[in-house]
Amino acid sequence: EMQLVQSGGGLVQPGGSLRLSCTASGFSLSTYWMSWVRQAPGKGLEWVANTKLDGSETHSVDSVRGRFTVSRDNAKNSMYLEMNSLRVDDTAVYYCVRGSNPAWGGGPFDPWGQGTLVTVSS
Amino acid sequence: EIVLTQSPGTLSLSPGERATLSCRASQSIYSSYLSWYQQKPGQAPRLLIYGASSRATGIPDRFSGSGSGTDFTLTISRLEPEDFAVYYCQQCVWSPYTFGQGTKLEIK
């Protein structure tokens, strides 16, 4: 069974940093684009960032560019999201997702991780 | 940035009825790059439809997708109790890979 298991997250003060991890099982991360998608409390879904199969390319939404860094370690079958200079409006559940079209970075997204809550508050 | 507008915001129907959900894009999307997701409270979203009309693995055939260009539709032929949830469309063609704001399908 293909599965994504996330860890990290929690409460952090504005301006602080946090690192999220996502480990895949049932498939090899190295053959897929991977993304992070977030959902603020009671709101809709927002694509955050992605990383190409070998990590040679990454892309992100304007609101996090320069603050968030997505990376991967294919040997560990894992992806990471390093979040710096966190703001209150970064508060959300963060999901790691696999892009099920190996040739394309935008999706469709399947499967999804279980999600991890990041709360930015003083 | 491509904006996806879903309508209606909330749809109130009864089990057994037919549901029609709309997703309109601010510019043309190649059909291969429009997906639909279902999200239930407290759960991660689940892929339902990709390429505008192809069902994902394990998705019942009462779910169907159609459309092209800027107008897309998700249809649920006969609603089951477990279908009441929030549904999102997503375009996968241009970064940032945007989602619609969602349609909440609630029991009437």
Side-chain angles (χ1 to χ4, degrees), chain B residues 59-104:
Chain B
I59 301 303
D61 60 7
R62 64 180 181 273
F63 290 90
S64 63
S66 63
S68 64
T70 60
D71 290 298
F72 298 88
T73 300
L74 174 69
T75 301
I76 310 171
S77 59
R78 285 176 51 87
L79 286 166
E80 298 287 342
E82 62 267 27
D83 298 337
F84 292 91
V86 179
Y87 292 83
Y88 296 95
C89 58
Q90 184 228 351
Q91 63 84 15
C92 317
V93 63
W94 301 116
S95 179
Y97 305 108
T98 47
F99 291 84
Q101 83 280 15
T103 289
K104 182 180 182 180

Side-chain angles (χ1 to χ4, degrees), chain A residues 31-81:
Chain A
T31 55
Y32 293 92
W33 283 82
M34 295 293 295
S35 283
W36 291 95
V37 173
R38 69 183 179 182
Q39 186 170 36
K43 303 298 183 182
L45 301 167
E46 179 184 36
W47 174 81
V48 174
N50 67 2
T51 168
K52 195 176 179 180
L53 283 63
D54 59 359
S56 60
E57 277 184 47
T58 62
H59 305 276
S60 59
V61 69
D62 285 350
S63 60
V64 308
R65 197 167 298 138
R67 301 187 299 121
F68 290 13
T69 302
V70 57
S71 62
R72 63 200 292 161
D73 184 341
N74 286 340
K76 295 183 178 180
N77 228 28
S78 295
M79 176 178 67
Y80 309 98
L81 185 66

Side-chain angles (χ1 to χ4, degrees), chain A residues 4-8 37 93-96 112-117, chain B residues 44:
Chain A
L4 296 168
V5 177
Q6 300 178 223
S7 60
V37 173
V93 173
Y94 286 73
Y95 295 100
C96 89
W112 293 59
Q114 83 276 18
T116 186
L117 177 61

